[in-house]
Amino acid sequence: MKNIKLLIALLALAALTACNNATQQPQQTTQYENPTIATIMERRSIRAYKPDTIARQTLERIIECGINAPNGQNKQSWEIRIVHNPAIFDSLKTIMADAYPDKAEMTVGSFRGAPVMIFIARDLNYDFSAYDCGLLAQNIMLSAQSLGIGSICLGSPVRFINDNPACAPILQRLNFSPNYQLSLCIGLGYANETPDPKPRNKAKAQFLE
Ligand SMILES: Cc1cc2nc3c(=O)[nH]c(=O)nc-3n(C[C@H](O)[C@H](O)[C@H](O)COP(=O)(O)O)c2cc1C
């Protein structure tokens, strides 16, 4: 009987220790300290995608994460258009392709084959709106990464659409408010490549000792 009581006490102690370890230890994912750092460090720009589209509910969650980004005075100086319907996306691409039929790579190719495209416009009447949109974009890309979805931030199609009058119908279709200017595109989709990280210059950050 004494031995059984001792055994139960030892088992209880072992369970308690295991429980404490579980709450004290940070969750390990790959070689990183925690899932947030893993998400940041493992995100890469994806330029090859599977054709699969992303579930509407998942896109809504990603956008919700996006708009929870910090932003100046909580003005939320962005407007967002999510193009997830392939027919609509194709119609926008056709406008670009028709504008320069012999330069498909420069126009349609600038979307990098992502099946879902998020167009972000900034409020030209707010001096911090570019930062707001950048932070929104990063929240979108990191939340996508955390859900196993690849992303790419795109400036080339923005320049092309804004600078070419032949692309005006795209801006009409996106229907941003007056004083809002298309500023970023974010491509989303399931990655069909695993690019290596690009080198970063740590010397750009200096501690003042
Ligand atoms: C504002 C901005 C514009 C970008 N525009 C393009 C682009 O037009 N085409 C492209 O392939 N990548 C574009 N990128 C992706 C960058 O090339 C990429 O983030 C950078 O090379 C670092 O690689 P990583 O994202 O894999 O870490 C852009 C990124 C940012 C932030």
Short mmCIF file of all heavy atoms in Angstrom, two decimals, residues 46 49-50 52 54 114-116 148-151 187-191:
data_model
loop_
_atom_site.label_atom_id
_atom_site.label_comp_id
_atom_site.label_asym_id
_atom_site.label_seq_id
_atom_site.Cartn_x
_atom_site.Cartn_y
_atom_site.Cartn_z
N ILE A 46 7.41 35.18 -53.20
CA ILE A 46 7.12 34.00 -54.04
C ILE A 46 6.77 34.48 -55.46
O ILE A 46 5.91 35.33 -55.64
CB ILE A 46 5.96 33.18 -53.42
CG1 ILE A 46 6.35 32.67 -52.02
CG2 ILE A 46 5.55 32.02 -54.33
CD1 ILE A 46 7.58 31.77 -51.97
N TYR A 49 3.57 30.18 -58.41
CA TYR A 49 2.41 29.77 -57.61
C TYR A 49 1.70 28.58 -58.22
O TYR A 49 1.67 28.41 -59.45
CB TYR A 49 1.41 30.92 -57.51
CG TYR A 49 1.91 32.08 -56.68
CD1 TYR A 49 2.64 33.11 -57.26
CD2 TYR A 49 1.68 32.12 -55.32
CE1 TYR A 49 3.12 34.17 -56.49
CE2 TYR A 49 2.15 33.17 -54.54
CZ TYR A 49 2.87 34.19 -55.14
OH TYR A 49 3.34 35.23 -54.37
N LYS A 50 1.08 27.79 -57.33
CA LYS A 50 0.14 26.76 -57.80
C LYS A 50 -1.13 27.50 -58.24
O LYS A 50 -1.42 28.57 -57.71
CB LYS A 50 -0.17 25.78 -56.67
CG LYS A 50 1.06 24.98 -56.26
CD LYS A 50 0.78 24.11 -55.07
CE LYS A 50 2.07 23.40 -54.65
NZ LYS A 50 2.04 22.87 -53.30
N ASP A 52 -4.13 26.88 -57.52
CA ASP A 52 -5.22 26.82 -56.51
C ASP A 52 -5.54 28.21 -55.97
O ASP A 52 -4.65 28.98 -55.65
CB ASP A 52 -4.81 25.95 -55.32
CG ASP A 52 -4.18 24.66 -55.74
OD1 ASP A 52 -3.20 24.71 -56.53
OD2 ASP A 52 -4.64 23.61 -55.31
N ILE A 54 -7.54 30.68 -53.06
CA ILE A 54 -7.55 30.67 -51.59
C ILE A 54 -9.00 30.82 -51.13
O ILE A 54 -9.74 31.64 -51.69
CB ILE A 54 -6.69 31.85 -51.05
CG1 ILE A 54 -5.25 31.75 -51.58
CG2 ILE A 54 -6.70 31.89 -49.54
CD1 ILE A 54 -4.43 33.01 -51.36
N ALA A 114 0.61 35.18 -59.43
CA ALA A 114 -0.18 34.96 -58.21
C ALA A 114 -1.66 34.86 -58.58
O ALA A 114 -2.16 35.69 -59.35
CB ALA A 114 0.05 36.10 -57.23
N PRO A 115 -2.39 33.88 -58.03
CA PRO A 115 -3.81 33.74 -58.40
C PRO A 115 -4.73 34.76 -57.74
O PRO A 115 -5.83 34.99 -58.21
CB PRO A 115 -4.15 32.31 -57.94
CG PRO A 115 -3.15 31.98 -56.90
CD PRO A 115 -1.91 32.78 -57.19
N VAL A 116 -4.28 35.34 -56.63
CA VAL A 116 -5.09 36.36 -55.94
C VAL A 116 -4.26 37.63 -55.87
O VAL A 116 -3.08 37.60 -55.55
CB VAL A 116 -5.46 35.89 -54.50
CG1 VAL A 116 -6.15 37.00 -53.73
CG2 VAL A 116 -6.34 34.64 -54.55
N GLY A 148 0.32 29.32 -44.24
CA GLY A 148 0.87 28.46 -45.29
C GLY A 148 0.66 29.01 -46.69
O GLY A 148 0.71 28.27 -47.67
N ILE A 149 0.41 30.32 -46.78
CA ILE A 149 0.14 30.96 -48.08
C ILE A 149 1.31 31.88 -48.44
O ILE A 149 1.75 32.69 -47.62
CB ILE A 149 -1.19 31.73 -48.02
CG1 ILE A 149 -2.34 30.73 -47.86
CG2 ILE A 149 -1.39 32.62 -49.25
CD1 ILE A 149 -3.65 31.33 -47.43
N GLY A 150 1.76 31.76 -49.68
CA GLY A 150 2.88 32.58 -50.15
C GLY A 150 2.40 33.95 -50.60
O GLY A 150 1.21 34.15 -50.87
N SER A 151 3.34 34.88 -50.69
CA SER A 151 2.96 36.25 -51.06
C SER A 151 4.09 36.95 -51.79
O SER A 151 5.23 36.52 -51.73
CB SER A 151 2.60 37.06 -49.81
OG SER A 151 3.75 37.26 -49.02
N GLY A 187 0.44 40.02 -54.14
CA GLY A 187 0.02 38.76 -54.73
C GLY A 187 0.00 37.69 -53.64
O GLY A 187 0.88 37.64 -52.78
N LEU A 188 -1.04 36.85 -53.68
CA LEU A 188 -1.15 35.75 -52.71
C LEU A 188 -1.44 34.45 -53.45
O LEU A 188 -2.10 34.46 -54.50
CB LEU A 188 -2.31 36.00 -51.73
CG LEU A 188 -2.23 37.16 -50.76
CD1 LEU A 188 -3.49 37.20 -49.90
CD2 LEU A 188 -0.99 37.06 -49.87
N GLY A 189 -0.99 33.35 -52.89
CA GLY A 189 -1.28 32.04 -53.46
C GLY A 189 -0.43 30.97 -52.80
O GLY A 189 0.42 31.29 -51.94
N TYR A 190 -0.70 29.74 -53.18
CA TYR A 190 0.09 28.64 -52.62
C TYR A 190 1.39 28.52 -53.41
O TYR A 190 1.38 28.43 -54.65
CB TYR A 190 -0.73 27.35 -52.63
CG TYR A 190 -1.88 27.45 -51.65
CD1 TYR A 190 -3.15 27.83 -52.07
CD2 TYR A 190 -1.66 27.23 -50.29
CE1 TYR A 190 -4.19 27.98 -51.16
CE2 TYR A 190 -2.70 27.38 -49.37
CZ TYR A 190 -3.95 27.75 -49.81
OH TYR A 190 -4.97 27.91 -48.89
N ALA A 191 2.50 28.56 -52.68
CA ALA A 191 3.81 28.64 -53.32
C ALA A 191 4.16 27.38 -54.10
O ALA A 191 3.88 26.27 -53.66
CB ALA A 191 4.88 28.89 -52.25
#
